[in-house]
C-alpha cells in the first residue's frame, strides 16, 4: 500500500538584503580633497603673516651715525670719521640720527671711538675734557722726538727742551734739561715725513715759554708712566 504523500511545506522567505554601495572610495577622495585644500589655506596664511612681519621689520629700521674709523679721545670729528648705518628701532639704543651728521662734525670726542660702533651724544663733549682750564700749545714732533705710536689723549708728558742748533755741550758738565709738565689733548695724523702735531695742555705760566721753544723745534716729548 502506497504511503500517503506529505504536503509540501513552503520555505520561509529570505530576509531582504541591505543595499551595499558598489564602492566606498568616493567619500575618501572627497575627504582628501578637503584636507589638501585646508593645508593650502594654512600655508597661504602663514606665508602672508611672514611677509607682513618682514615688511614691519623693514619699516622699523632707522638710519643712524656709526664710526667709520678709530678716533682717539680729544680728537675733532671729521666727516670721514662718520658713516651711516641702518639699525632696528630699539628704545635701549640712543644713537645719533643720520640727519645730524653735519652738526656732529667739529665736535670733540670724550672717549675713544672704535670703528663699527654707533655714535651717541654721550661720547662727545663741547670741550676737550683734557685741560680745558689750561693753555694749549701745538708742538710739532718729528721722528725720534716722541714715542712712536704710543701717545694718546690724556697721557701725561714732559716737554723737554733740546739744545739749540750749534750749541756746544762738549767739555761741560751737562745740566739737567729744562722740562715742562703737560697733558696730551690731541694728536694729528702723520704727514708724509712722519711729523705729527701734538696739542698739549699746560699751566698759564708755561704756555708762552713752551710755544717759543716749540716754534724753534727744540721740544721732545717724554711720556710719563700712566700709573702716575
Amino acid at each position: 500500500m502506497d504511503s500517503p504523500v506529505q504536503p509540501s511545506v513552503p520555505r520561509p522567505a529570505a530576509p531582504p538584503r541591505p543595499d551595499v554601495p558598489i564602492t566606498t572610495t568616493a567619500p575618501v577622495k572627497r575627504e582628501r580633497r578637503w584636507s589638501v585644500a585646508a593645508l593650502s589655506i594654512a600655508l597661504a596664511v602663514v606665508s602672508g603673516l611672514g611677509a607682513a612681519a618682514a615688511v614691519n621689520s623693514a619699516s622699523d629700521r632707522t638710519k643712524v651715525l656709526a664710526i667709520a674709523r678709530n678716533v682717539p679721545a680729544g680728537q675733532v670729528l671729521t666727516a670721514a670719521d662718520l658713516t651711516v648705518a641702518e639699525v632696528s628701532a630699539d628704545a635701549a639704543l640712543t644713537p645719533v640720527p643720520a640727519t645730524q651728521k653735519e652738526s656732529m662734525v667739529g665736535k670733540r670726542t670724550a672717549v675713544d671711538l672704535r670703528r663699527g660702533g654707533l655714535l651717541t651724544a654721550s661720547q662727545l663733549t663741547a670741550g676737550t675734557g683734557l685741560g680745558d682750564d689750561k693753555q694749549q700749545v701745538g708742538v710739532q714732533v718729528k721722528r725720534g722726538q716722541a714715542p712712536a705710536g704710543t701717545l694718546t689723549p690724556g697721557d701725561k708728558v714732559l716737554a723737554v727742551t733740546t739744545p739749540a742748533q750749534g750749541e756746544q755741550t762738549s767739555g761741560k758738565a751737562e745740566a739737567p734739561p729744562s722740562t715742562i709738565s703737560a697733558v696730551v689733548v690731541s694728536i694729528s695724523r702723520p704727514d708724509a715725513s712722519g711729523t705729527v702735531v701734538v696739542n698739549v695742555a699746560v699751566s698759564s705760566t708755561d704756555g708762552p715759554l713752551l710755544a717759543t721753544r716749540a716754534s724753534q723745534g727744540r721740544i721732545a716729548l717724554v711720556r710719563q708712566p700712566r700709573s702716575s
Side-chain angles (χ1 to χ4, degrees):
M1 183 173 180
D2 296 333
S3 303
V5 179
Q6 297 291 332
S8 60
V9 179
R11 294 182 180 180
R17 296 183 180 180
D19 292 335
V20 178
I22 298 176
T23 178
T24 59
T25 57
V28 175
K29 289 184 178 180
R30 186 177 299 109
E31 182 178 352
R32 288 180 179 176
R33 291 196 190 100
W34 279 110
S35 300
V36 173
L39 179 59
S40 300
I41 294 173
L43 291 176
V45 171
V46 172
S47 300
L49 293 176
V55 171
N56 291 336
S57 176
S59 62
D60 288 342
R61 298 182 71 83
T62 181
K63 293 184 178 181
V64 298
L65 293 179
I67 311 303
R69 56 189 178 185
N70 294 340
V71 183
Q75 195 85 330
V76 176
L77 278 180
T78 65
D81 296 327
L82 302 175
T83 187
V84 176
E86 286 191 3
V87 297
S88 298
D90 190 337
L93 300 178
T94 57
V96 178
T99 55
Q100 298 182 18
K101 181 176 181 179
E102 292 185 3
S103 62
M104 294 297 106
V105 173
K107 291 190 175 183
R108 290 185 181 274
T109 57
V111 296
D112 290 342
L113 303 182
R114 299 300 178 187
R115 179 182 178 183
L118 300 180
L119 180 68
T120 63
S122 61
Q123 296 171 327
L124 305 177
T125 177
T128 66
L130 303 168
D132 285 330
D133 58 340
K134 298 182 179 180
Q135 294 182 342
Q136 293 189 29
V137 179
V139 180
Q140 189 177 52
V141 179
K142 299 179 181 180
R143 293 182 185 273
Q145 291 181 319
T150 62
L151 288 180
T152 60
D155 281 344
K156 296 178 180 179
V157 296
L158 290 176
V160 181
T161 303
T162 59
Q165 187 175 3
E167 184 176 341
Q168 299 293 326
T169 59
S170 59
K172 299 180 182 179
E174 293 188 7
S178 175
T179 61
I180 296 175
S181 297
V183 177
V184 177
V185 175
S186 63
I187 306 167
S188 71
R189 292 181 174 84
D191 61 15
S193 65
T195 299
V196 298
V197 175
V198 181
N199 292 324
V200 296
V202 296
S203 65
S204 57
T205 57
D206 293 330
L209 178 60
L210 179 58
T212 300
R213 293 176 179 176
S215 65
Q216 299 170 354
R218 298 179 56 195
I219 294 296
L221 299 180
V222 177
R223 194 195 76 190
Q224 299 194 72
R226 287 185 173 136
S227 60
S228 63

